[in-house]
Amino acid sequence: MFSKMIAFPTCGFYFVLLFAHVAHGDLSYSFPEEMKRGSIIGNVAKDLGLDRGALSIRRARMEADGTEKRYCDINLNNGELIVAERIDREGLCGEKASCILKHELVLENPLELHLINLHIQDVNDNSPQFKEDLINIEITEMAVRGARFVIEEARDTDVGQNSVQQYSLKNNANFILAADGNTLEIVLEKELDREKQHAIDLLLTALDGGSPQRSGTVVIHVTVLDANDNAPVFSQAVYKASLPENSPPGTVVVTVSASDADKGLNGDVTYDFGHVGDDVKKVFSIDRNVGKIRVIGIVDYETTRSFEIRVKAKDGLGLSSYANVVLAITDVNDNTPVVSLKSLTNPIPEDTAPGTEVGIVNVQDRDSEANRQVRCSIHQNVPFKLVPSLKKYYSLVTTGQLDRELASDYNITITATDEGSPPLSSSKTVQLSVADINDNPPVFEEQSYSAYVTENNKAGSTLCSVTARDPDWRQNGTVIYSLLPGEVNGAPVSSYLSVNGDTGVVHAVRSFDYEQFRSFKVHVMARDNGSPPLSSNVTVSVFVSDVNDNSPQILYPNPEGNSFMTELVPKAAHGGSLVSKVIAVDADSGQNAWLSYHIVKSTDPGLFTIGLHSGEIRTQRDISESDSMKQNLIVSVKDNGQPSLSATCSMYLLISDNLAEVPELKDISYDEKNSKLTSYLIIALVSVSTFFLTFIIIILGVRFCRRRKPRLLFDGAVAIPSAYLPPNYADVDGTGTLRSTYNYDAYLTTGSRTSDFKFVSSYNDNTLPADHTLRKSPSDFADVFGKTEKSLEV
Ligand SMILES: *[C@@H]1O[C@H](CO)[C@@H](O)[C@H](O)[C@H]1NC(C)=O
C-alpha cells in the first residue's frame, strides 16, 4: 500500500475527463471531488443527443438513486450537468478505492431514464494524521541497543497516492526509524542514561504521496525510566559532633545526608543506624527520612564519654552506603559531691587531746575537670576541723578541749562543694558522742551546813540534809555521802550523827544535852562512784538549843533545909547593909538560866529585901532594939524559862553582934522539933570547918587569879563552901577547885547581866559582841582557866 512516492497528475478542478455512455442511455462522468457548486461536469443533452429545447418541455430532471442526496443538477437551458452539492469523496466513500455516485436523468413525454454514474475522483485534500499529537513512551535506561518500540502509524483519509506513503524521524542521538512492512518502529541506536537525560522528544513525520504533498507530525515523548544504578552517597565520610550530657530528648545531635543520583524509588534515600550496640539505640534515634540523629534517652557523660555511630543510607531498591558519626559527650556539672565517712571513733573520751584525729572522710565527684574539684569544710562552731590528708581524704580532728558536761554530742555537718558552674554541694552530718571521764568531783550546794536542834531530841531525828551534785555521767556522777571519822567530846562522831549515804539526810544518833555541849562540827564527804572516785567535804555545824530542863539550884544557903546555917547581922547595921546573899545556879542558859530571887515568907516582912537578880539580902531599914533577934526568910529562886522552874531555901538570920549572945540555936530553928545539944555541937563543928574550907578556897582562888589573867573570882564577897556545889559542878578529881569552865559559866548566870558583861569585857582580851556573852561556847573561856578539859570541838 505504501510506496515511496506515488505519482499523481495535478488535474485540479479543471481537468475533467468526460466519458459519454450512450448505450442504454447510460452516462458516466468522472470528476474530482470538492468541485464548487455550479461547476459543469458535462453536457448530458449533447452526450445523449437530446434536443436542448425539449429539455424543459420534457421536464428533464436529475434524481438521486434511492434516498441519496442529489449532488448534481441539469441546466435545462443547455443540458449541462452541474455540481449541486459539495461532494467529499472521503465522506461519501471513505477509503474505497473507487467512489461512484448513481444519479438518474428523468425525461417525461415520453418517459426516458438515463443512468448517470458519477465517478468521484480523489483529490489530495487530507494530510496524514497521527492519532494523537503526542505519543508517550517510557523506556528504562537499562534498555539495550536495538530495542524496538512500536509506534502507531499515521492515517490519511485520502486514498492511493494521496494516502501515507512515507515517514521520517527527525535526527536524534538515540533512535532511528524502522518501517518494516506493516509496522512502524523506532529502534534504540544508542543506550539511554536517565541521569544525563531523563526525557527525549522525537519528531516523527508522516508524508503522503499527493501533490502537493501533505504531511502530519507527532512528537514521541520518550521518558527515560530510571534504573537503580546509583547508590546513595553521604556528604561526609565522618560526621563529628559534640553533645553536652543531659541533653533533653528531642535534641538534634547531627544531621547526616546522602544523595542518590537515581530517581524516584531508586533515589529515595532512607537512613538508619548501621551495626550499633544497644547502648546507642537506647540513647539515639535517626530520622529515616531526613537523617536527623536525635536524643531519645539519657546522655550521661559519666557512663559513656563518646559514641561512634555507624549510619546507613539506603535507596528504595536496596543500594546502601555507610558513614560514621563520632559524637563526643561533654561534661556537665550534674553530679553532686558525695561525702562518706570512712572511719570514726565514736564515742570519743572527753579528755581527748586537741588535734586528735577522730575520723576519716572521703569525698567523691563523678564529674570531671573543675566539676570534680571538691572543697570540704565544716561551717559550724564545733571543736572539730577537717584537715586535708591524702587526695580526696580528710581527717576529722579535734581543735579544742572537749567537755561532756557542756556538750555531750555533736552533729558535725561536713559540706562538700565542687567548682562547677553553678557549683553543686552536699553535706553529711556526723554524729559524735563524747564519753564521760570522771573529771568532776561532787560539789555541795552550800559552802557549809548548819543544823539546829533543840536538846533532848529523839534519837534518829532528822537534823538537816546535805546535797552535792556531780555533773558526770552515771556512776561518775553518782554521789554517796558519808561522815568523815572524827571525835566529838572524845566519842566517835558516829555515836552522834549518821548520814544517809544516798540522800544526804543527817540524823541524830542520840539525844543531845545542851548542858553538855552546845554545838559541834562534823565533816560530811560526798564521793562519786567513778574510778578513781572524786570527793569533796563539807562542814556540818550542829547547834543544840537550850530547853528549860534544869531548875535553879541553890548553892547557898544549903537548900536541904539545914537550919544550922545562920547569918549574923550586926545590931548596928544600917538600912541597906548587905547581910547575906542567896547563890543559885541554873544549868540552862539564857532566859532559862536567868534567875530572879524573891522573899516569899519572912519573920519581919519589912526588915529585909532581896535583890531581884543579885540575890543580895539587905536590911531595908536600921535595926532597932525591938526587932526580934532571930529572923527567918524563905527565898524562892525562879528561872525565866517557859514554864519557869523554881527552888526555895530558908535563910536564918541572927541579929547579934556576938556569937556568944546567940541563944540556943534550937530556938532559931524554925520548925526544928527534935533539937538536941549534940546537933548544935555538930553544927558548930561543921560551920567552923566550912569557914575554914572557904577560906582555903579563897586563898587558892586569889593565888590562881594572880597567876593567870584575866582573873576571875566570885562575884561579891560571899564565899561558897565547896561542899555546897552540886556534883556536876565540882571537879571530880577531888581537888575541890572550880575548874570546869562550864561550871564557871553556869555560875556567871547567877549574877546580873551587866556584871556578866563586865566580866567578859574586862577579863577577856578577845573582845566579843555582847550578845555572845552567854552563848559563847564554853571553850571560849577555857583559856581563862588554862584548861580545855571539856572542849566540845570535834
Ligand atoms: C543531733 O541530731 C540528733 C538527731 O537528729 C538530735 O536528736 C540531737 O539533739 C542533735 N544534737 C545536737 C547537739 O544538735
Side-chain angles (χ1 to χ4, degrees):
M1 179 171 180
F2 296 102
S3 61
K4 289 277 181 191
M5 211 57 169
I6 298 163
F8 199 86
T10 55
C11 57
F13 291 98
Y14 313 106
F15 184 79
V16 179
L17 292 174
L18 294 177
F19 300 99
H21 301 275
V22 184
H24 308 295
D26 289 354
L27 284 174
S28 288
Y29 293 94
S30 183
F31 60 95
E33 59 178 328
E34 303 287 354
M35 295 209 328
K36 284 182 183 160
R37 278 195 197 94
S39 303
I40 297 159
I41 299 167
N43 197 319
V44 179
K46 187 179 153 195
D47 293 338
L48 287 176
L50 296 173
D51 181 14
R52 284 188 202 144
L55 289 176
S56 61
I57 298 164
R58 294 187 65 186
R59 300 179 59 187
R61 63 183 185 274
M62 294 297 290
E63 289 200 1
D65 189 22
T67 59
E68 276 180 54
K69 210 172 169 184
R70 194 159 44 90
Y71 288 95
C72 53
D73 256 334
I74 186 160
N75 187 338
L76 291 178
N77 295 330
N78 51 19
E80 285 176 341
L81 192 62
I82 55 172
V83 176
E85 281 291 329
R86 178 183 164 239
I87 300 169
D88 176 21
R89 195 198 70 88
E90 287 76 24
L92 293 171
C93 301
E95 291 183 25
K96 279 188 261 178
S98 67
C99 181
I100 300 169
L101 293 176
K102 293 184 187 300
H103 278 64
E104 287 174 346
L105 174 68
V106 181
L107 295 168
E108 293 177 11
N109 201 19
L111 180 67
E112 276 183 40
L113 281 178
H114 299 276
L115 188 62
I116 297 172
N117 289 325
L118 300 172
H119 292 259
I120 310 298
Q121 291 170 352
D122 186 38
V123 169
N124 192 18
D125 58 350
N126 289 288
S127 301
Q129 204 170 16
F130 288 94
K131 190 178 170 193
E132 291 141 317
D133 291 339
L134 185 71
I135 297 171
N136 281 309
I137 17 177
E138 294 180 335
I139 302 174
T140 169
E141 59 178 326
M142 301 296 274
V144 294
R145 184 166 179 269
R148 304 173 90 88
F149 304 93
V150 176
I151 307 294
E152 191 180 5
E153 63 271 22
R155 293 192 182 281
D156 191 329
T157 44
D158 294 327
V159 295
Q161 283 295 312
N162 289 339
S163 67
V164 175
Q165 300 296 317
Q166 194 184 353
Y167 290 95
S168 74
L169 187 64
K170 195 182 168 199
N171 277 345
N172 70 89
N174 298 91
F175 292 94
I176 55 168
L177 193 67
D180 179 18
N182 293 327
T183 49
L184 177 64
E185 293 168 317
I186 53 172
V187 179
L188 185 63
E189 183 73 11
K190 183 172 176 261
E191 278 149 3
L192 300 167
D193 184 357
R194 193 204 64 82
E195 285 73 39
K196 281 189 192 148
Q197 196 176 16
H198 54 79
I200 304 170
D201 283 330
L202 300 172
L203 186 64
L204 179 66
T205 307
L207 297 164
D208 62 15
S211 180
Q213 193 176 37
R214 288 178 172 263
S215 66
T217 59
V218 68
V219 173
I220 303 171
H221 183 76
V222 177
T223 305
V224 183
L225 293 182
D226 185 49
N228 192 25
D229 52 353
N230 286 287
V233 176
F234 275 104
S235 61
Q236 290 170 241
V238 175
Y239 294 85
K240 286 189 174 167
S242 75
L243 177 71
E245 62 172 329
N246 305 334
S247 292
T251 306
V252 175
V253 179
V254 69
T255 303
V256 296
S257 85
S259 55
D260 190 316
D262 292 329
K263 187 171 175 270
L265 204 55
N266 294 332
D268 213 358
V269 178
T270 56
Y271 301 92
D272 200 354
F273 289 130
H275 195 82
V276 294
D278 282 347
D279 54 333
V280 171
K281 287 185 195 159
K282 273 186 205 156
V283 181
F284 299 105
S285 72
I286 185 164
D287 185 297
R288 284 183 57 77
N289 296 319
V290 295
K292 282 191 198 304
I293 295 180
R294 286 192 163 88
V295 176
I296 56 165
I298 293 160
V299 184
D300 184 12
Y301 175 83
E302 286 71 37
T303 310
T304 317
R305 299 191 170 193
S306 69
F307 288 93
E308 185 153 347
I309 307 171
R310 194 132 175 87
V311 288
K312 171 175 144 183
K314 191 179 75 142
D315 65 22
L317 288 175
L319 290 179
S320 50
S321 60
Y322 296 87
N324 282 343
V325 175
V326 176
L327 195 55
I329 307 298
T330 54
D331 186 42
V332 166
N333 191 23
D334 60 344
N335 286 286
T336 47
V338 177
V339 181
S340 53
L341 195 59
K342 291 296 177 192
S343 80
L344 183 68
T345 309
N346 189 19
I348 47 171
E350 59 181 319
D351 62 354
T352 300
T356 306
E357 178 182 274
V358 298
I360 292 171
V361 170
N362 175 249
V363 284
Q364 299 280 353
D365 192 316
R366 297 181 61 222
D367 293 320
S368 59
E369 310 272 305
N371 293 342
R372 74 179 303 153
Q373 296 303 316
V374 180
R375 276 167 295 125
C376 235
S377 55
I378 296 172
H379 298 294
Q380 289 163 300
N381 189 18
V382 289
F384 297 94
K385 67 176 179 185
L386 285 173
V387 177
S389 156
L390 299 172
K391 193 181 165 200
K392 296 184 186 309
Y393 282 90
Y394 291 84
S395 296
L396 182 62
V397 170
T398 58
T399 58
Q401 195 62 54
L402 304 175
D403 186 357
R404 191 202 65 86
E405 286 71 39
L406 287 178
S408 63
D409 61 325
Y410 292 95
N411 291 337
I412 305 163
T413 303
I414 298 170
T415 308
T417 309
D418 65 25
E419 283 173 10
S421 173
L424 295 175
S425 67
S426 69
S427 59
K428 180 171 184 70
T429 299
V430 177
Q431 284 194 11
L432 203 55
S433 304
V434 181
D436 188 46
I437 295 289
N438 191 24
D439 56 353
N440 287 286
V443 173
F444 281 98
E445 288 182 341
E446 314 263 334
Q447 298 273 335
S448 63
Y449 289 85
S450 297
Y452 297 93
V453 58
T454 50
E455 60 175 332
N456 306 330
N457 57 299
K458 281 190 189 134
S461 59
T462 299
L463 299 185
C464 66
S465 173
V466 297
T467 310
R469 309 235 174 252
D470 188 326
D472 287 327
W473 195 64
R474 293 255 169 108
Q475 65 201 47
N476 291 341
T478 304
V479 178
I480 300 159
Y481 304 94
S482 60
L483 276 181
L484 278 184
E487 289 197 347
V488 175
N489 297 337
V493 269
S494 56
S495 65
Y496 287 83
L497 296 179
S498 71
V499 62
N500 184 312
D502 297 330
T503 61
V505 174
V506 178
H507 298 279
V509 171
R510 67 180 202 190
S511 180
F512 301 141
D513 185 0
Y514 176 85
E515 285 70 36
Q516 281 191 317
F517 47 84
R518 298 180 177 186
S519 69
F520 58 92
K521 287 180 179 173
V522 295
H523 298 288
V524 174
M525 178 176 77
R527 177 176 60 84
D528 62 29
N529 233 345
S531 173
L534 298 174
S535 64
S536 58
N537 298 339
V538 74
T539 304
V540 177
S541 304
V542 179
F543 296 101
V544 182
S545 58
D546 186 41
V547 165
N548 193 21
D549 58 347
N550 290 286
S551 335
Q553 274 188 291
I554 298 169
L555 305 180
Y556 181 87
N558 190 337
E560 300 303 315
N562 192 326
S563 56
F564 302 126
M565 289 290 295
T566 56
E567 296 279 350
L568 282 178
V569 180
K571 281 181 181 164
H574 297 290
S577 302
L578 180 62
V579 174
S580 181
K581 178 171 180 166
V582 176
I583 300 172
V585 293
D586 193 314
D588 295 322
S589 65
Q591 294 283 326
N592 294 337
W594 193 16
L595 302 180
S596 56
Y597 301 84
H598 307 273
I599 296 170
V600 293
K601 195 174 177 187
S602 63
T603 312
D604 183 351
L607 188 52
F608 298 104
T609 62
I610 189 162
L612 182 61
H613 296 299
S614 63
E616 288 173 347
I617 297 169
R618 293 174 187 271
T619 52
Q620 207 165 356
R621 56 176 171 79
D622 295 350
I623 303 288
S624 69
E625 288 296 324
S626 61
D627 288 330
S628 169
M629 190 183 187
K630 291 175 273 184
Q631 295 286 334
N632 196 359
L633 303 174
I634 294 177
V635 176
S636 159
V637 184
K638 284 198 283 184
D639 63 25
N640 206 17
Q642 281 294 338
S644 73
L645 299 172
S646 64
T648 56
C649 64
S650 298
M651 173 77 69
Y652 302 102
L653 300 169
L654 191 63
I655 301 173
S656 168
D657 290 335
N658 188 348
L659 198 62
E661 292 176 11
V662 178
E664 304 101 275
L665 287 171
K666 184 178 103 175
D667 301 337
I668 303 168
S669 176
Y670 212 71
D671 46 7
E672 187 71 45
K673 301 260 168 73
N674 305 313
S675 59
K676 289 176 185 170
L677 183 62
T678 51
S679 302
Y680 295 127
L681 286 173
I682 291 166
I683 291 165
L685 278 171
V686 168
S687 298
V688 169
S689 60
T690 300
F691 280 121
F692 177 71
L693 278 173
T694 307
F695 176 74
I696 288 171
I697 288 166
I698 290 168
I699 295 299
L700 286 172
V702 167
R703 286 188 61 197
F704 179 79
C705 292
R706 277 187 188 149
R707 202 174 65 231
R708 291 269 319 206
K709 278 199 174 185
R711 296 174 187 280
L712 177 66
L713 263 187
F714 301 153
D715 191 10
V718 179
I720 302 168
S722 67
Y724 293 105
L725 290 170
N728 59 333
Y729 285 75
D731 196 0
V732 286
D733 62 5
T735 62
T737 50
L738 280 170
R739 300 167 66 188
S740 165
T741 57
Y742 193 80
N743 286 351
Y744 167 69
D745 185 48
Y747 172 76
L748 272 180
T749 62
T750 62
S752 72
R753 294 168 78 86
T754 50
S755 68
D756 288 340
F757 184 72
K758 279 175 186 164
F759 155 69
V760 172
S761 58
S762 57
Y763 292 109
N764 193 336
D765 292 339
N766 302 321
T767 305
L768 292 169
D771 60 344
H772 280 198
T773 310
L774 295 180
R775 292 164 183 258
K776 211 59 194 168
S777 167
S779 63
D780 294 330
F781 299 96
D783 55 351
V784 173
F785 289 88
K787 291 193 178 179
T788 54
E789 286 174 0
K790 291 205 171 182
S791 166
L792 296 182
E793 189 72 30
V794 175

